[in-house]
Amino acid sequence: MERRTIGAAALAVGAVGLGCMPMSWAYSASRQRGDESLRAVHRALDLGSSLLDTADMYGPFTNELLVGRALKERRSDAFVSTKVGLLVGDQHIVANGRPGYVKRACDASLRRLQTDVIDLYQLHRADPEIPVEETWGAMAELVRAGKVRALGLCAVGARAGRRSGARLHDATIRQLERVQQVFPVSAVEAELSVWSPEALETLLPWCETRGVGFLAAMPLGNGFLTGRLRPGAGFEADDIRARHPRFTAEMMAANQPVVAGLRRVARRHGEHVTPAQVALAWVLAQGRHVVPVPGTKQERWVTENATATTLRLTPEDLREVAELPPAQGSWD
C-alpha cells in the first residue's frame, strides 16, 4: 500500500487506516464480535493499513484491549493511535485534562494495548476547567519519557461554534495555535467526507501549511456513503445513527443523490469499483498529508477500503463529486 507521513517527524503509515471504534463502541452492540474484529485488524495489517485508531473511552477500555491482542503479536506492523481526555459515565461523557490524570491514563492505555510506546497520542477533547496548555504539557512529558512518539488533537465538537456564528473549525484552530506553542502538533483528527467537507475550508489548509498530518474521521459518512444502508431500515437503540438527524428515513431518502453520484463515478472505473472506494479516493485526493480512517469490524470491508488506494480519480470525477448536492440534515 502507498505510504503517507504524519507530522514533522515524518511518521510513516499506510494511506488508509483502520478506525477500530465500531468493533466495541457506538455501533450496534449485538453485531460486535471480538474474534471477527480481531481478524479484521489482522487483515488490515496484512494489507498495509497500519494505522489503528482507538481511544480509551471506546467501550470504555474494551477497544484498546481488543487492539492490544493484535499488537501483542504484530507490534512492528502497526502504527497505534489512541486518545485521552474523555471519561464515560452513566449516560454522560465528561472531559478530564488534569495533568496527573493524563499521565495515569497513558500508563493504563499502554497496559491495555500491550505495548511500551504509543505512536500517536491524541487529546480527545480539551477540559474547559483546565488550560489546554497544561494538558498538552503533560502529554509532551510523555513524549520526553519515551512513552509516546507524537501528539495529536481531535477537532472540537462543532455545534456550539456554529450556533455562535463562527466557522466550523475556528475553535479547533484556536486550540491548535495555543498548544503548538508548547509542543509540536503532529496530527489533527476531524471529520472529512464527501457529505461533510467542511474541513476543506480552514482546518485542512492550516495542517498543510504547517506540515501537520490530517486523519480523516468518518470518511464513509458513518456508512451512508457505502450505499449499503436502506432508508427506513432503522438502527439498534445503542447505535449513534439512531439519534443522528441525517439518518432519519426522510433524510436518508433525501440524500440518496449523493450516493447515486458516487455510483456513477464508480461505474466509470469498472464494475467492481464501489461507492465507498470512490468516497475514500476523494478523501485521499485532498492532499498527501491526509489519511482516511474508515471504521469497520469486518474483513471484507477492510479489504474494500484498502483497495481504494489504487483508485485514481480524474479531474472529471472530482468535478462531478464537487457538484453533488450538499447533504441534508445535521446536528445543527
Side-chain angles (χ1 to χ4, degrees), residues 131-158:
V132 69
E133 292 87 349
E134 291 186 18
T135 305
W136 199 256
M139 295 171 70
E141 289 181 25
L142 296 170
V143 178
R144 288 188 280 268
K147 297 180 180 182
V148 170
R149 289 199 173 99
L151 302 183
L153 184 78
C154 292
V156 178

Side-chain angles (χ1 to χ4, degrees), residues 9 19 23 26 60 64 81 86 94 97 114 121 154 163 166 214 229 231 235 260 277 284 318:
M23 300 174 183
E64 286 188 331
S81 167
L86 290 178
V94 297
Q114 301 194 57
Y121 203 37
C154 292
R163 284 197 295 269
F214 187 93
L229 299 180
F235 300 95
Q277 290 171 325
L284 288 163
L318 294 171

Side-chain angles (χ1 to χ4, degrees), residues 29-97:
S30 70
R31 302 177 190 175
Q32 292 166 359
R33 300 174 180 85
D35 289 342
E36 180 181 53
S37 295
L38 192 61
R39 288 194 296 271
V41 175
H42 281 291
R43 181 60 174 158
L45 297 177
D46 289 342
L47 294 169
S49 290
S50 56
L51 193 155
L52 307 178
D53 189 62
T54 182
D56 58 2
M57 72 165 288
Y58 299 159
F61 310 130
T62 54
N63 201 241
E64 286 188 331
L65 289 167
L66 175 65
V67 173
R69 290 169 62 189
L71 293 179
K72 184 178 181 181
E73 301 176 29
R74 305 187 60 176
R75 182 64 182 93
S76 62
D77 297 327
F79 180 100
V80 61
S81 167
T82 193
K83 308 176 189 75
V84 67
L86 290 178
L87 296 173
V88 179
D90 184 19
Q91 303 298 316
H92 69 283
I93 297 173
V94 297
N96 188 339

Side-chain angles (χ1 to χ4, degrees), residues 12 25-26 29 38 46 87 103 133-134 160 168 170 174 197 199 219 231 239 243 255 264 272 278 283 325:
W25 175 256
L38 192 61
D46 289 342
L87 296 173
K103 294 175 182 178
E133 292 87 349
E134 291 186 18
L168 179 60
D170 283 358
R174 286 194 297 272
D239 193 309
R243 301 179 298 282
N255 286 318
R264 285 194 300 272
H272 299 299
V278 173
V283 174

